[in-house]
């Protein structure tokens, strides 16, 4: 059983979750940035993680899933500034599932990640009310993903592995 953990992370949040997932999983395993992954061939399972950017999965991750996930067993994790309860999260997960339509998606996980200050500043200046609202939410995300969220990620990864 060989497992890959691959991630896109611009400000470090998804990387923290990726490292928690990696720590938790047993057996032969590798962790790397998604940009370094040439193919998912040779892995029995790939955990693939990315942030939400502009109300959609990070474009590089989306493209990777579209081009490389067909016929593969994957588990998707994502981080976002919105709270996990936000109804937007389901829409973003649907977009990720759509990008990985040819894959066998064994499970998904998502959690809040701190929105970087330059992004908050940019959003607050936006003319679009939706962007401004999101900017106002920014300061409440400070310190995320915290230890409790990382612990949830570890428990999720273990559960995924135990069900295979
Ligand atoms: C350009 C940009 C756009 C973003 N758009 C959204 C968004 O639409 N919804 C959301 O919940 N978070 C959004 N965020 C916040 C990130 O998804 C969140 O901070 C995430 O945890 C970042 O992960 P990373 O540190 O691994 O890059 C955005 C962040 C950036 C940089």
């Amino acid at each position: 059983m060989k497992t890959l953990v691959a991630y896109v992370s611009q400000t470090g949040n998804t990387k923290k979750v990726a490292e928690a997932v990696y720590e938790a999983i047993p057996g032969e395993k590798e962790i790397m940035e998604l940009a370094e992954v040439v193919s998912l061939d040779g892995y029995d399972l790939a955990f693939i993680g990315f942030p939400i950017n502009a109300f959609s999965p990070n474009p590089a991750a989306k493209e990777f899933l579209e081009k490389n996930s067909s016929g593969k067993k994957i588990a998707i994790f994502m981080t976002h500034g919105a709270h996990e309860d936000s109804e937007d999260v389901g829409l973003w997960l649907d977009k990720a599932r759509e990008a990985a339509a040819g894959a066998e998606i064994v499970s998904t996980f998502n959690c809040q990640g701190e929105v970087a200050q330059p992004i908050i500043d940019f959003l607050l200046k936006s003319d679009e009310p939706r962007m401004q609202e999101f900017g106002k939410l920014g300061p409440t995300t400070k310190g995320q993903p915290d230890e409790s969220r990382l612990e949830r990620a570890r428990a999720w990864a273990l559960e995924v592995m135990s069900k295979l």
Side-chain angles (χ1 to χ4, degrees), residues 66 93-102 105:
E66 283 162 359
L93 271 172
D94 286 347
K95 287 186 185 180
R97 284 198 189 94
E98 211 175 285
I105 304 172

Side-chain angles (χ1 to χ4, degrees), residues 61-102:
K62 202 163 159 248
E63 191 182 338
F64 180 91
L65 290 172
E66 283 162 359
K67 290 192 177 153
N68 298 288
S69 71
S70 189
K72 307 295 181 195
K73 200 176 273 191
I74 64 169
I76 290 175
F77 59 99
M78 57 187 211
T79 72
H80 41 76
H83 192 271
E84 291 88 351
D85 291 345
S86 162
E87 57 189 31
D88 288 342
V89 172
L91 301 175
W92 301 334
L93 271 172
D94 286 347
K95 287 186 185 180
R97 284 198 189 94
E98 211 175 285

Side-chain angles (χ1 to χ4, degrees), residues 9-14 51-52 54-55 79-82 92 113-114 119 134:
S9 187
Q10 295 156 316
T11 59
N13 301 332
T14 314
I52 293 300
F55 311 107
T79 72
H80 41 76
W92 301 334
E114 176 171 335
I119 301 300
F134 185 53

Side-chain angles (χ1 to χ4, degrees), residues 16-17 20-21 23-24 47 77-80 82-85 89 107-113 144-160:
K16 281 187 197 162
V17 177
V21 165
E23 251 172 54
F47 286 85
F77 59 99
M78 57 187 211
T79 72
H80 41 76
H83 192 271
E84 291 88 351
D85 291 345
V89 172
S107 190
T108 66
F109 174 86
N110 72 89
C111 74
Q112 191 175 49
Q144 302 303 338
D146 62 4
E147 184 45 38
S148 71
R149 285 179 161 91
L150 295 177
E151 193 46 44
R152 278 209 292 117
R154 289 185 199 100
W156 168 72
L158 257 185
E159 192 194 333
V160 169

